[in-house]
Amino acid sequence: MSVLEPKKIALFVLVVFVLYVIITDPAKAADYVQIGFEGVSSAAKSIGDFMTWVANGGGDK
């Protein structure tokens, strides 16, 4: 058995779980997607703030 097989199995289980959640409770699935996008947006803003801080020389000015 190669290393790829457990990855395929895990991906299959994840896809089945996601489809189950979407089919059984679409409103909750939409909430999860919104939470995910908010997290990604917050992370991107934080990275942008950090890069701005670095570009301005770091330190407290």
Side-chain angles (χ1 to χ4, degrees):
M1 179 187 278
S2 70
V3 175
L4 190 57
E5 292 302 317
K7 289 181 182 180
K8 283 183 179 180
I9 293 169
L11 181 62
F12 177 76
V13 169
L14 179 65
V15 168
V16 168
F17 176 72
V18 168
L19 289 174
Y20 172 78
V21 170
I22 290 171
I23 292 168
T24 58
D25 196 354
K28 187 165 281 277
D31 289 341
Y32 290 147
V33 170
Q34 183 178 2
I35 290 168
F37 278 124
E38 288 173 0
V40 169
S41 175
S42 176
K45 181 181 180 322
S46 296
I47 291 170
D49 291 344
F50 174 73
M51 292 300 177
T52 301
W53 177 78
V54 169
N56 289 334
D60 295 327
K61 292 185 179 179

